[in-house]
Amino acid sequence: MKQNSSKNIIMNIIIIILMALSYWVIDFGIRYLSYESLKFYSYKQMIPSLFTLGWSTIFIGLFYLIKQKKRQIFYLISLIIANIIALSQYLHFVILQRFYGINDLFLAKEGSYYLGFALLKIDIKILSIILLSLVFGTIALILSKKYHETYRDKPYFVFTSIISIFIALIFFGCARINFGDNIEENYKASVNGLAAYKDFTNPTKNIQVAGLYETIPRSIVFYIKDKINDNTKERIEEINTYLKNNKKAIAQNEYTGVFKDKNLIVILMESVDTFFINEEAMPTLYKLANEGLNFTNRYAPTFGGGATINSEFALNTGLYSSQEGNSYNYNNTYKTSLANVFKNNGYMANSIHFNSGYYYNRKELHQNLGYDNHYALLDMDNIDNDKYKYQYDSNLIKSEKVANLIIPDDKFLTFITTYSAHLPYDSTNLLCQYNNYRVRFSGDNELSCIYNLAYDTDEMIRLLIEKLEVKNILNDTIIILASDHHAYSYSKINSVKNTDNNYLLLHTPLIIWGTDIEAKNIDIPVDTADILPTILNLFGINYNPNFYIGEDIFSTTRNNYIYFNEDVYYKDNTLYDITTNPGETLTYQEIKETIKFNNNLIESNYLKTKD
C-alpha cells in the first residue's frame, strides 16, 4: 500500500511537471520566435518564465480542486485557449511586427476579415511549438486519468492545491525580485525590464518582459484602473508643460502658399508599395511621380489598430493613434484636423470609401474629424444596386453619381480611401479570378495579381484627372497620393524590396501633383503625420504647429527623423535601435516625450477646443 502511495505521489509530480511544461513552452516559443525582430528583452531572461510558471501552478492548483470528471475538461480547454492566444499573437506579430493588446481587441471584428490571410502565415515553427505543448498536455491527461482515479484522497488534492498556490507566489516573488529596483533616469530606461513592467502600455514589451499569462490579467487591471481613474487633469498639466518646453513656430519657406485656394483631393492608396510605381503596374502614378513632388524617403509607421485606419487617422490629424485607451478615441473632436481647418477656410469637406461606415467605425470617426459627409458606399442605397463593384476603384469615377460626390461644384477637399489593391493576391480575389491579367509574370501569379489590382487603382487616378479636365478645374486642383501601408501580404515582399528589416519595409510612396508643379525628388525623411502640416503650409493656411506631432516637410527647423516606436528611429538614412544600434541620447528622450504628448492629446480630448 505504501509502495502504491509513493508511486502515485511520484506520478502526480510528473503530471504537474508535464502540465507546467505544456503552458510554458508556448509562452517561451512566441518570445523566442519574436526576439530576432525585436531584441528588446531576451527570451533567455528568467523573469517572464518565472511569471509563466507561477500562473501554470495556479492553473494546476485549480485542476486539483475540480471534481474528477471535470478536471480533465478544464485542463484541456485552458490549454487550447492558451495555444489559440499564443497562435493569434504570433500571427499578429508576423503580419504587423507587434503583439496586440486589450485595446486592439475592440477592432477584432475588423480583424476577422483577414482571418484567411492570417492563417496562411502559420509556419512550421509555431506549429512545432503548439504540437510540443499538446504532446506534453496529452501525456499529462492520460496519466492524470489513470492515477487520479486510483488515488481519491480529497485532503491530498486540497493540500496539493494550497501548495501550488504557495509555489506560484514564490515564482511571482522571484520574478519581481529579479527585476531589481533601479530605473535609470535616461534613455536607457527603455531597455529596463522593470520600467516596461511598471509602465505596461506597450503590448509587445509586455509579453517580452512578463510572459503571455502575466500580461493578460495585468493588462486587464491597468485597463480597468484607467477607466475608473479620470486622469484628464493630470494629462492636461503634462500637455501644458510639454508645450511650454517645446514651442514650435511657423516659418515661411519657398513652398508656403503655392497652392492657396486650390481644390484638394487626398488619395490614401490601399497597399500601393514603392515597387508598384512603374509603367507596367501604375503608369499614371509613375507619370505623376515624375511630374510632381515625389517624396522618396517616406515611411508609414503603425502605432495601433489596423494599418489602414492608422494612416488614415495620422494623415487627418497629424498625430498617431494612442498606445493607451481605445486607439482612435472616436468620440473625440479634432478641431485641428485636415477637414476642420479646411472648412474654416471656406472649403466643403467630404470623404469616401467603398466599405461600410461601421467598419473601423469610420462613419463616426470621420464625423468627429470634421467631414461634412463620409460616403460609405456599401451603406448608400441611392448609389447603385451592385455596390460591391466599388471595391474596384476605377468604378468610382465611371459612376457619374459617385464621381460627383468626389468632385462637387464648390471649392472642396475630398479624402478618398481606395480598395482595389487590398489582399488577397490570388484567385479568391474576383479581379484576379479569371487570370485576365494585363501584365503577367511567368511563375508568379501572386505578383501578376498584385500588379493588376494596382492598375485598377491607377485607372481611377487616370479617370479622375480626365474628369477634372472635363469640368475645367484640373488647373485649380491638387492631388496628394499616399499609401496607407506597404504590401505586407505579398509573400516575396522582402526580396522585392531588398530588405529583411521590418521597419525599412514600411517605405511607401507619397506624391503631390498639380498641373503647375515643378518636378522634384525630395529625399527628406517623411512619415504620415508630417503630411497634414505640410498641406497646410502649401495651401497657405494659418495653423498652430504645436498641436501636431508631424512637421512641415519643407520647414528648415524640422527634426529630420522618423520614429517607429519609443526605441527605434530613422535618421540620415540609418536605422537606430536602442537595443542594437543606439543613436543620440537626446533624440531618444525627445521621442519618448513626443509619444507621451501624442497619447495625452488624444486621451484627454485636448484638441476639442483648440484651433
Side-chain angles (χ1 to χ4, degrees), residues 241-274:
T241 300
Y242 179 89
L243 291 173
K244 182 179 178 181
N245 297 329
N246 298 274
K247 285 185 178 179
K248 292 188 286 189
I250 294 178
Q252 291 196 347
N253 53 63
E254 60 179 313
Y255 286 95
T256 301
V258 294
F259 302 149
K260 190 169 181 62
D261 291 327
K262 291 198 174 190
N263 302 308
L264 173 60
I265 298 175
V266 179
I267 303 176
L268 187 66
M269 302 180 293
E270 169 67 42
S271 298
V272 171
D273 214 322
T274 49

Side-chain angles (χ1 to χ4, degrees), residues 499-553:
T499 180
D500 289 324
N501 187 282
N502 294 307
Y503 298 109
L504 297 181
L505 283 175
L506 302 177
H507 184 215
T508 47
L510 170 62
I511 297 162
I512 298 177
W513 182 87
T515 56
D516 56 355
I517 293 177
E518 182 180 346
K520 187 175 183 180
N521 286 333
I522 299 168
D523 192 44
I524 298 170
V526 178
D527 62 32
T528 311
D530 291 326
I531 298 174
L532 174 51
T534 304
I535 290 173
L536 299 179
N537 174 63
L538 289 167
F539 279 76
I541 294 175
N542 188 44
Y543 69 100
N544 188 334
N546 294 290
F547 297 141
Y548 303 98
I549 298 302
E551 296 181 276
D552 172 22
I553 297 168

Side-chain angles (χ1 to χ4, degrees), residues 24 59 67 189 229 260 309 319 358 384 404 461 508 547:
W24 173 82
F59 297 153
K67 290 182 179 179
N229 300 325
K260 190 169 181 62
I309 197 68
L319 304 170
Y358 295 102
D384 201 296
N404 287 335
I461 299 168
T508 47
F547 297 141

